[in-house]
């Protein structure tokens, strides 16, 4: 299968701190990659570069064959204009740790906002798709509620429905359950698991090892801005080759 995401030699610094130190990663269409690693290892920054929330200093990233933020012409890379970047971003869904819902909009309005403004599709059609998405995440009865009236698990399921509303080619999850009370983690992981079974291509940063073992095609372990180890979940999680992976797993398992 073709690579949906192709990351080559990506470097990124904030001031004098090099946060990504040469990342190479390929995610094939329909596959789930789980990224593990200690706090500060660069996991969020990596996801953010894929979604144009951060620009890389060197190296390049492509999603579905399109260079992220750049156009190639011969040997040169040209930066895309803001409008082209916004268009690329509509193909990539991002789910944050803290949901990031619009507090002043209802659940339904949160979901229809992007497709109405970015895709300019007719309102009735967009509302109809949004209701179907809410049904899919088990929240059909919450369309008119406001985020503050929902539990964290429900808010995160709305955030997932909102990410799906643009029919993305790729979904990125940045610790989607770490802000949740333990009893609410399962309902969110269930939704992500369903998406995986339907062949959604995704990269999931999470410390939920059981979920990684069950759902991931590939597990990647990051430390200090590098990918230290990668492989099938059974290999990386149960028989890690690297000391750093072993040390990390002994803390989270
Ligand atoms: P992780 O998600 O693995 O915890 P991050 O990618 O959030 O790691 O952060 C990696 C390092 O980059 C950390 O040291 C963090 O403080 C730093 N960092 C992240 N974003 C910024 C930023 N916008 N400005 C300065 N430093 C940052
Ligand atoms: Mg992070």
């Amino acid at each position: 299968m073709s690579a949906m995401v192709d990351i080559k030699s990506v470097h990124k610094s904030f001031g004098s701190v090099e946060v990504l130190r040469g990342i190479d990663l390929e995610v094939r269409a329909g596959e789930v990659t789980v990224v593990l690693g200690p706090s500060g290892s660069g996991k969020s920054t990596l996801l953010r570069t894929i979604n144009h929330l951060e620009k890389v200093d060197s190296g390049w990233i492509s999603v579905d064959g399109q260079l992220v933020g750049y156009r190639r012409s011969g040997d040169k890379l040209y930066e895309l204009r803001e409008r082209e970047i916004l268009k690329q971003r509509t193909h990539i869904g991002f789910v944050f740790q803290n949901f990031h819902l619009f507090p002043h909009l209802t659940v339904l309005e949160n979901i229809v906002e992007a497709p109405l403004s970015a895709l300019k599709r007719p309102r009735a059609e967009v509302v109809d798709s949004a209701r179907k998405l809410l049904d899919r995440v088990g929240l059909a009865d919450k369309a008119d509620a406001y985020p503050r009236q929902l539990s964290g698990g429900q808010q995160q399921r709305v955030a997932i429905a909102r990410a799906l509303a643009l029919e993305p080619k790729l979904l990125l999850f940045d610790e989607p359950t770490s802000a949740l009370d333990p009893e609410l983690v399962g309902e969110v992981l269930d939704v992500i698991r369903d998406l995986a079974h339907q062949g959604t291509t995704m990269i999931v940063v999470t410390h939920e090892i059981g979920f990684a073992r069950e759902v991931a095609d590939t597990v990647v372990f990051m430390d200090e801005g590098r990918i230290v180890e990668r492989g099938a979940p059974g290999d990386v999680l149960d028989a890690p080759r690297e000391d750093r992976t072993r040390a990390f797993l002994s803390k989270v398992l």
Side-chain angles (χ1 to χ4, degrees), residues 5-56:
V5 183
D6 200 2
I7 300 176
K8 285 275 195 298
S9 308
V10 161
H11 289 258
K12 172 74 184 175
S13 297
F14 292 110
S16 60
V17 184
E18 196 176 21
V19 172
L20 300 179
R21 304 177 179 206
I23 298 284
D24 291 287
L25 180 65
E26 201 175 282
V27 177
R28 287 186 293 190
E31 289 195 345
V32 178
T33 297
V34 165
V35 180
L36 305 174
S39 176
S41 56
K43 306 180 300 294
S44 296
T45 304
L46 177 63
L47 287 191
R48 292 167 63 83
T49 58
I50 300 171
N51 197 33
H52 301 275
L53 293 167
E54 300 287 354
K55 239 175 79 176
V56 305

Side-chain angles (χ1 to χ4, degrees), residues 16-246:
S16 60
V17 184
E18 196 176 21
V19 172
L20 300 179
R21 304 177 179 206
I23 298 284
D24 291 287
L25 180 65
E26 201 175 282
V27 177
R28 287 186 293 190
E31 289 195 345
V32 178
T33 297
V34 165
V35 180
L36 305 174
S39 176
S41 56
K43 306 180 300 294
S44 296
T45 304
L46 177 63
L47 287 191
R48 292 167 63 83
T49 58
I50 300 171
N51 197 33
H52 301 275
L53 293 167
E54 300 287 354
K55 239 175 79 176
V56 305
D57 297 333
S58 64
W60 52 266
I61 299 173
S62 73
V63 174
D64 202 20
Q66 300 235 18
L67 280 176
V68 167
Y70 299 93
R71 176 179 300 119
R72 192 188 287 282
S73 174
D75 291 340
K76 293 214 173 90
L77 292 184
Y78 293 94
E79 277 186 46
L80 296 181
R81 292 162 207 269
E82 190 65 20
R83 244 184 55 203
E84 297 167 302
I85 285 180
L86 286 176
K87 201 169 148 213
Q88 277 194 344
R89 283 185 69 185
T90 64
H91 300 300
I92 305 170
F94 202 109
V95 176
F96 300 87
Q97 181 175 347
N98 291 308
F99 330 133
H100 285 205
L101 295 175
F102 304 115
H104 58 291
L105 298 181
T106 66
V107 163
L108 190 75
E109 291 295 343
N110 262 280
I111 298 172
V112 300
E113 197 274 338
L116 283 180
S117 60
L119 305 185
K120 314 237 181 314
R121 282 166 50 198
R123 188 178 170 88
E125 189 185 307
V126 169
V127 167
D128 190 50
S129 321
R131 289 192 188 281
K132 288 192 181 119
L133 284 172
L134 274 178
D135 193 38
R136 199 161 146 194
V137 300
L139 293 172
D141 56 335
K142 298 292 184 195
D144 299 321
Y146 284 88
R148 65 172 179 279
Q149 299 170 314
L150 304 181
S151 71
Q154 290 171 330
Q155 289 187 55
Q156 192 60 300
R157 286 187 280 147
V158 173
I160 294 171
R162 182 178 62 177
L164 290 171
L166 290 169
E167 299 175 11
K169 298 172 183 171
L170 170 69
L171 273 182
L172 306 173
F173 291 89
D174 194 0
E175 301 200 30
T177 60
S178 30
L180 300 177
D181 292 333
E183 74 274 20
L184 303 178
V185 168
E187 65 189 60
V188 171
L189 293 181
D190 285 347
V191 169
I192 303 174
R193 186 183 295 107
D194 280 350
L195 293 171
H197 290 155
Q198 288 154 24
T200 314
T201 311
M202 40 189 162
I203 304 178
V204 187
V205 174
T206 182
H207 298 305
E208 295 290 335
I209 302 299
F211 172 83
R213 184 177 277 114
E214 186 197 343
V215 176
D217 295 291
T218 301
V219 172
V220 166
F221 175 70
M222 272 181 82
D223 195 22
E224 297 182 346
R226 291 195 176 87
I227 292 179
V228 172
E229 184 159 359
R230 76 185 80 204
D235 295 336
V236 176
L237 300 174
D238 300 325
R241 278 171 291 139
E242 301 291 331
D243 288 343
R244 279 188 283 177
T245 316
R246 218 168 291 140

